[in-house]
Amino acid sequence: MKLPELLAPAGSLERLKVAVLYGANAVYLSGHRFGLRSGADNFTDTEIIEGLQFAHQHDAKVFVVLNAFPHDQDLKEMPEYVIWLEQQGVDAVIVSDLGTCTLIHQHTNIPIHLSTQASCLNSWAAQAWKNLGVQRLILGREVSVQEAGWIRHKVGIAVELFIHGSMCMAYSGNCVISNYTAGRDSNRGGCVQSCRFHYDIQEVNKEETYKTSFMSSKDLRGLEQLPQFFEQGIDSLKIEGRMKSNLYVATTTRVYAQGLKICANEPPPLWQSRLQELTQELERIPHRGYTEASLNTPAGHDSIYLGHRNGNQTYEIAGTVLATSENFLTLLVQNPFTAGESLEFITFAGDTILLNTSGLLDIQQRPLNRAKPNSLVLLPSIPQIKPLNLARRQAA
């Protein structure tokens, strides 16, 4: 069977490196223009160049997101920008607007991937986009894996599907609630996720009200559906989350990379039990519960998330390994911990190494009782732990 591409989010240069080192075959990112995640760190032109060099050195591709819905005045700088992206060696751009697609074709030969924002849900739309020169379709989240396979087969075009991450209550993110509640246009990069809030609900002919997040969806988790992705020949599996943390990117990328290896190298009778084991790792990152959403059948009432808008969090990042030597590893602390605590280091190979911090030292090799955020600390070196490995701890 064909091994699908694993596509991970890169909300910053550091997260790009984390995603690639933890097993992503490709990453998607945005510059400071024409994207739909203005709240993400996003990339300067210099960072795009560095990110491309790093990714290509590790045999990974880089896709740049240009998926905002622009007006004419927004497109004045587009020709110069896409010509520059092509010169730098960007592997593809992700586009939702027909005018943007046309403009890119006029000025460059960059491959175009159709954004999920375009809500491509059927083979007729797929064929139309293919006729316009689109090389890959990122189908709407409303499409099942089987429908995606049918579209791919009928039209003869590469297909990409979301397999993990936050879900939107609107069709493929085409929502204006944020415009109404906060004056920020969700279709031009300003979404404040108004659907995640609790709202007062009053039933007809009743006086009492109650609060509920009736528009908030659970997070998508398609790990156990990986065999279906293989069966239908889906070309790329996409992890949502350009605004998520390094820990989220490392964990999801590593888990799905391991899942793909299981389906590629182990006998089918073992797949489900092995994939079920991996789901426990996904419980260790913040999430709003999990749903298969529409991967099998249309998402129903059980996909609604009624908890806190920020979700559940059992683990948090403790720090990032910056350097290693024969004796010590240098950790940039991101959340405080006390000497004697045990940290879990997530290796690139897929193992998790437990390290007791009783030997905690400051950068001048003096004993420490507590590691503070944004400080550098030393811990005993372990050969399997490498620079840019992440350490996590149980959240308080």
Side-chain angles (χ1 to χ4, degrees):
M1 290 185 294
K2 177 185 175 183
L3 190 65
E5 168 191 276
L6 180 60
L7 176 58
S12 69
L13 181 59
E14 185 177 38
R15 265 166 269 166
L16 179 150
K17 294 178 180 180
V18 166
V20 170
L21 292 173
Y22 276 101
N25 307 116
V27 295
Y28 61 103
L29 61 87
S30 175
H32 286 281
R33 294 169 284 178
F34 311 115
L36 270 183
R37 289 291 180 269
S38 59
D41 293 339
N42 292 325
F43 284 63
T44 64
D45 290 352
T46 301
E47 288 172 332
I48 289 176
I49 294 171
E50 184 178 344
L52 279 163
Q53 292 172 346
F54 184 89
H56 289 167
Q57 286 169 0
H58 292 82
D59 297 320
K61 295 180 179 180
V62 175
F63 308 145
V64 173
V65 175
L66 307 173
N67 62 345
F69 292 103
H71 295 258
D72 273 4
Q73 60 267 28
D74 301 317
L75 292 174
K76 292 179 180 178
E77 298 177 356
M78 176 74 78
E80 179 183 357
Y81 188 55
V82 294
I83 290 170
W84 181 83
L85 290 176
E86 183 176 41
Q87 291 170 344
Q88 305 315 310
V90 167
D91 297 286
V93 289
I94 301 173
V95 172
S96 58
D97 173 66
L98 180 57
T100 302
C101 180
T102 304
L103 187 150
I104 292 169
H105 274 312
Q106 287 179 350
H107 293 276
T108 74
N109 293 309
I110 299 180
I112 294 178
H113 297 175
L114 184 70
S115 171
T116 189
Q117 297 293 127
S119 293
C120 183
L121 307 175
N122 60 72
S123 61
W124 296 95
Q127 185 65 60
W129 284 108
K130 180 182 178 181
N131 294 344
L132 291 167
V134 169
Q135 296 185 19
R136 180 191 290 185
L137 304 174
I138 308 169
L139 296 176
R141 290 173 173 88
E142 300 77 24
V143 171
S144 70
V145 181
Q146 187 173 2
E147 287 174 317
W150 162 248
I151 291 170
R152 179 184 182 276
H153 172 75
K154 184 178 181 182
V155 178
I157 190 170
V159 163
E160 178 181 312
L161 276 184
F162 280 92
I163 195 167
H164 193 95
S166 298
M167 295 287 290
C168 181
M169 56 79 64
Y171 247 68
S172 300
N174 294 314
C175 176
V176 293
I177 299 176
S178 182
N179 302 56
Y180 179 76
T181 60
R184 289 174 53 177
D185 192 340
S186 57
N187 297 307
R188 291 168 64 80
C191 181
V192 296
Q193 296 191 335
S194 304
C195 57
R196 302 295 183 192
F197 292 109
H198 283 74
Y199 289 88
D200 291 334
I201 303 296
Q202 184 174 5
E203 296 184 31
V204 176
N205 299 325
K206 291 186 178 181
E207 293 185 3
E208 65 271 16
T209 63
Y210 59 93
K211 289 184 180 294
T212 180
S213 54
F214 68 101
M215 293 184 291
S216 183
S217 171
K218 294 177 182 176
D219 290 347
L220 174 65
R221 185 181 68 193
L223 182 63
E224 293 178 76
Q225 281 69 46
L226 269 181
Q228 296 178 48
F229 283 84
F230 269 81
E231 181 183 340
Q232 297 297 333
I234 305 304
D235 298 275
S236 181
L237 314 182
K238 188 170 191 172
I239 299 170
E240 181 275 339
R242 280 192 289 129
M243 294 177 66
K244 302 287 182 66
S245 69
N246 289 13
L247 180 61
Y248 169 93
V249 172
T251 303
T252 53
T253 303
R254 184 184 69 150
V255 165
Y256 282 93
Q258 287 180 298
L260 287 170
K261 289 179 182 178
I262 288 169
C263 292
N265 300 318
E266 298 189 16
L270 297 179
W271 288 355
Q272 284 307 129
S273 61
R274 296 281 282 114
L275 293 175
Q276 182 63 44
E277 291 172 10
L278 284 178
T279 62
Q280 299 308 308
E281 278 294 293
L282 297 176
E283 296 292 335
R284 290 178 166 85
I285 53 176
H287 63 281
R288 303 181 186 92
Y290 284 120
T291 175
E292 297 173 2
S294 298
L295 292 179
N296 291 319
T297 58
H301 186 270
D302 60 351
S303 69
I304 297 174
Y305 177 67
L306 299 176
H308 189 273
R309 71 188 306 264
N310 293 325
N312 308 312
Q313 182 172 359
T314 56
Y315 281 76
E316 64 184 9
I317 189 168
T320 303
V321 178
L322 294 188
T324 58
S325 66
E326 184 176 347
N327 297 318
F328 299 110
L329 62 85
T330 304
L331 188 73
L332 173 61
V333 181
Q334 285 155 279
N335 278 300
F337 59 89
T338 304
E341 266 189 66
S342 290
L343 302 183
E344 295 182 7
F345 285 80
I346 307 170
T347 69
F348 300 137
D351 301 321
T352 300
I353 297 176
L354 197 64
L355 177 62
N356 185 279
T357 61
S358 56
L360 183 67
L361 302 174
D362 68 13
I363 199 68
Q364 295 176 319
Q365 300 187 23
R366 297 174 300 193
L368 271 181
N369 292 323
R370 186 170 176 79
K372 297 180 180 180
N374 301 315
S375 66
L376 296 176
V377 299
L378 302 178
L379 288 167
S381 183
I382 295 178
Q384 297 94 320
I385 298 177
K386 307 295 183 184
L388 283 185
N389 278 164
L390 302 186
R392 68 188 179 197
R393 63 185 293 273
Q394 288 192 319

